[in-house]
Amino acid sequence: EVQLVESGGGLVQPGGSLRLSCAASGFTFRSYWMHWVRQAPGKGLLWVSHINGDGSATTYADSVKGRFTISRDNAKNTLYLQMNSLRAEDTGVYYCARGLEYWGQGNLVTVSS
Amino acid sequence: DVVMTQSPLSLPVTLGQPASISCRSSQSLVHSDGNTYLNWFQQRPGQSPRRLIYKVSNRDSGVPDRFSGSGSGTDFTLKISRVEAEDVGVYYCMQATHWPPWTFGQGTKVEIK
């Protein structure tokens, strides 16, 4: 069974940093592209970032480019999202997703003073 | 970026009656490989998104056959043949042809009358 479990969210001040993790199990992690998707409170889905299977290729939404970094550790079956220079508009639930087919339960990030 | 436009944004339906959601893209979603990468997701209240349909009309494993997808080019439709109480939630279309970014529609909220 595919499982994706996010962690690392919480409350952070504007300008601060946070690192999200997504622990994967139930499939061959290194074989799949992985994504992060954000959902602001009461709003729709916004794709944030993707990484290919071996970590050699990444893409970002314009709104996070230069501030967020996606990475993966295939030995640990874990996906990461390093978020720097956080803004209030980055607030939301962050989902990791395998190929946008299977999604984790989400992790709330709140950027507020 | 490809803009995805859904209608209606709110859809009150009677139990047992059909429902239909439209999704239009700002450009054709036919990929150079001949496939059309248009997906549909369901997000029940308080839950993570779940993919229902991929490549326009293919149901994911475990998705009831009352859900069907159709369309081509820039116009797509998700139909529920007979709405059940468990179908309440928000439905999103998403294109995966022209990336990055992967883009979602605004969402259509399905509720029971």
Side-chain angles (χ1 to χ4, degrees):
Chain A
E1 178 192 4
V2 173
Q3 288 201 328
L4 299 167
V5 180
E6 300 97 336
S7 61
L11 175 64
V12 61
Q13 292 188 339
S17 297
L18 214 53
R19 188 177 84 156
L20 301 182
S21 299
C22 171
S25 61
F27 63 100
T28 305
F29 182 66
R30 65 180 179 274
S31 297
Y32 289 88
W33 289 14
M34 297 294 294
H35 300 258
W36 288 100
V37 177
R38 178 170 76 201
Q39 187 167 37
K43 301 298 184 182
L45 302 171
L46 176 71
W47 171 82
V48 171
S49 182
H50 119 278
I51 188 168
N52 69 349
D54 65 7
S56 62
T58 59
T59 60
Y60 298 92
D62 286 346
S63 58
V64 307
K65 204 172 292 182
R67 300 187 298 122
F68 289 13
T69 302
I70 191 172
S71 62
R72 64 193 298 160
D73 185 334
N74 286 343
K76 294 182 178 179
N77 289 345
T78 303
L79 175 73
Y80 303 101
L81 185 67
Q82 177 66 44
M83 302 184 293
N84 298 332
S85 303
L86 282 161
R87 307 166 180 168
E89 55 264 35
D90 295 320
T91 293
V93 174
Y94 285 74
Y95 296 98
C96 69
R98 190 197 87 172
L100 293 169
E101 176 186 4
Y102 289 97
W103 297 56
Q105 85 286 354
N107 203 220
L108 178 62
V109 172
T110 303
V111 184
S112 175
S113 55
Chain B
D1 298 355
V2 177
V3 177
M4 305 297 290
T5 303
Q6 291 183 227
S7 63
L9 299 185
S10 178
L11 184 56
V13 294
T14 301
L15 287 173
Q17 293 301 302
S20 179
I21 300 170
S22 171
C23 175
R24 290 186 171 175
S25 56
S26 59
Q27 58 184 278
S28 173
L29 298 185
V30 180
H31 193 275
S32 56
D33 66 8
N35 290 307
T36 299
Y37 296 99
L38 185 282
N39 300 331
W40 288 96
F41 295 85
Q42 174 195 59
Q43 187 174 31
R44 291 170 171 155
Q47 294 188 14
S48 303
R50 167 199 183 194
R51 196 179 72 179
L52 297 177
I53 302 283
Y54 63 96
K55 288 194 287 184
V56 181
S57 59
N58 297 276
R59 271 191 305 275
D60 273 282
S61 176
V63 174
D65 61 7
R66 64 179 180 275
F67 290 94
S68 64
S70 63
S72 63
T74 61
D75 289 334
F76 304 92
T77 302
L78 175 71
K79 291 182 179 177
I80 310 173
S81 60
R82 294 172 305 280
V83 172
E84 298 189 5
E86 66 178 18
D87 301 335
V88 165
V90 181
Y91 292 78
Y92 297 92
C93 60
M94 185 211 76
Q95 70 84 22
T97 296
H98 305 289
W99 57 267
W102 285 257
T103 48
F104 293 88
Q106 318 97 299
T108 295
K109 186 174 184 178
V110 172
E111 57 186 10
I112 305 300
K113 278 184 187 177

